[in-house]
């Protein structure tokens, strides 16, 4: 990889983070607004979906970065990205750090 990354790389990663943050905000806002009118478990489920979206955003960012590194033929950083992704997924799957 050259010393300067393509601006498209940074734009793609920024887009993932932006979509995740705004999507999370609007999903949680929808849950709060629905909660004003509906008093059952539906608003809580919508808010939980927003929190899950917030937690998934960095994972998707690592995945996109890994794919973009491999497209640029930067094998070292692609492997590091997928190693980090594997650690994140294993930690989620096995609850590493859970008491």
């Amino acid at each position: 990889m050259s010393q300067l990354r393509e601006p498209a790389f940074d734009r793609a990663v920024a887009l993932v983070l932006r979509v995740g943050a705004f999507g999370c905000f609007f999903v949680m806002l929808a849950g709060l607004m629905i909660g004003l009118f509906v008093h059952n478990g539906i608003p809580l489920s919508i808010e939980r979906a927003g929190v899950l979206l917030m937690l998934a955003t960095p994972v998707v960012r690592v995945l996109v970065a890994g794919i973009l590194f491999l497209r640029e033929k930067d094998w070292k950083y692609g492997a590091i990205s997928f190693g980090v992704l594997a650690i994140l997924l294993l930690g989620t799957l096995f609850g590493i750090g859970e008491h």
Side-chain angles (χ1 to χ4, degrees):
M1 180 175 103
S2 66
Q3 293 297 332
L4 297 175
R5 268 195 314 247
E6 290 186 34
F9 183 98
D10 294 328
R11 279 195 303 268
V13 172
L15 178 66
V16 168
L17 294 173
R18 193 175 308 118
V19 167
F22 282 118
C24 166
F25 172 75
F26 287 118
V27 169
M28 291 180 77
L29 182 64
L32 288 172
M33 298 305 282
I34 291 171
L36 293 174
F37 304 107
V38 178
H39 300 291
N40 57 15
I42 294 173
L44 184 60
S45 298
I46 294 172
E47 291 169 11
R48 283 185 183 157
V51 171
L52 288 175
L53 180 61
M54 185 183 349
L55 293 172
T57 299
V59 176
V60 174
R61 182 246 184 257
V62 171
L63 176 67
V64 168
I67 291 169
L68 291 174
F69 279 129
L70 292 180
R71 281 182 54 196
E72 290 182 353
K73 295 184 177 30
D74 191 350
W75 311 117
K76 178 181 172 184
Y77 286 108
I80 291 170
S81 294
F82 284 107
V84 169
L85 182 64
I87 291 169
L88 289 171
L89 294 177
L90 287 173
T92 302
L93 181 67
F94 294 117
I96 296 173
E98 184 80 19
H99 294 286

